[in-house]
Amino acid sequence: MEMEQVIVAFESTKSALRVKEILESGGTASCILCSSAGQVRRTVHKLHITAVVCGFKLPDQPAEVLFGDLPPSCAMLVLAPQNLLDLLQEEDIFRLAAPVSRGDLTASVRMLLQMGRRLERILRPRRSEEEQAVIQQAKAVLMDRNGMTEEEAHRFLQKTSMDHGSKLIQTAQMVLDSADWES
């Protein structure tokens, strides 16, 4: 399995490289180094990154402002001295007091990545109402024409989709098209 990617962004290149070394040598994640909030924003959107590890502020803006611009599926871990962490108002930002141990850093980033995966699943777009309606109509046709229960009709659509490597909605549309053709 390929390592998940995280963005590492610090004002100090030395800090960024140290965090990158810890995360990559431990096999926790592969790191993309960014040197500004603008660069983080562009990279998150381009590569769909779900975790950002950064300092309290970046050259162009504070981490807290950047966090507001990230997609909801992207978590942020701020690594900074405790007195700076106490200044963060945003409750959804994860905090880790520096200096930090290797173990604490890798455990925190693993947790962040796991949360990112869960959020991605939760926020992934569901079927539209039109698609739901097409699937319901196809099930009705199968129930009517073949005497299936709703569950059997649904399973038939699922299995046919998998067998043909098509989406459920495409299979449902084919059932409706063939019903139109027959009538």
Side-chain angles (χ1 to χ4, degrees):
M1 195 175 114
E2 119 185 32
M3 277 199 290
E4 286 185 80
Q5 295 184 312
V6 297
I7 290 177
V8 174
F10 287 88
E11 263 187 314
S12 144
T13 309
K14 195 174 141 220
S15 301
L17 289 170
R18 182 168 171 270
V19 169
K20 175 182 163 77
E21 190 273 320
I22 290 173
L23 295 176
E24 290 186 346
S25 70
T28 305
S30 74
C31 301
I32 299 167
L33 294 181
C34 291
S35 54
S36 70
Q39 197 183 3
V40 169
R41 224 178 271 106
R42 287 189 300 277
T43 308
V44 162
H45 290 290
K46 198 168 75 195
L47 301 174
H48 303 289
I49 305 287
T50 60
V52 174
V53 179
C54 61
F56 181 75
K57 72 183 194 49
L58 296 163
D60 50 348
Q61 69 185 177
E64 198 156 14
V65 175
L66 168 63
F67 181 73
D69 293 338
L70 296 177
S73 59
C74 188
M76 178 182 276
L77 174 68
V78 172
L79 229 72
Q82 190 61 53
N83 62 327
L84 290 178
L85 294 180
D86 293 341
L87 299 174
L88 291 172
Q89 308 279 303
E90 176 58 64
E91 291 174 4
D92 291 334
I93 293 177
F94 293 93
R95 304 155 168 79
L96 202 52
V100 63
S101 76
R102 257 184 135 77
D104 286 350
L105 179 60
T106 53
S108 298
V109 170
R110 278 200 183 100
M111 181 196 71
L112 224 54
L113 290 168
Q114 193 176 2
M115 286 186 50
R117 284 192 299 272
R118 286 192 52 197
L119 279 167
E120 285 269 79
R121 273 200 302 276
I122 293 166
L123 298 169
R124 192 178 294 130
R126 299 278 180 241
R127 286 196 186 91
S128 70
E129 285 181 33
E130 296 89 62
E131 289 177 334
Q132 294 280 24
V134 168
I135 291 167
Q136 287 305 329
Q137 285 175 302
K139 286 198 274 191
V141 165
L142 290 168
M143 289 158 57
D144 188 49
R145 196 172 58 190
N146 303 351
M148 294 179 174
T149 64
E150 185 181 5
E151 201 175 316
E152 290 168 336
H154 190 79
R155 267 205 305 269
F156 173 83
L157 289 173
Q158 279 182 319
K159 183 171 178 355
T160 307
S161 298
M162 286 194 280
D163 292 347
H164 292 101
S166 61
K167 292 186 160 114
L168 192 66
I169 181 70
Q170 294 168 319
T171 303
Q173 191 59 59
M174 285 188 324
V175 167
L176 292 178
D177 293 346
S178 72
D180 290 346
W181 191 75
E182 284 171 18
S183 56

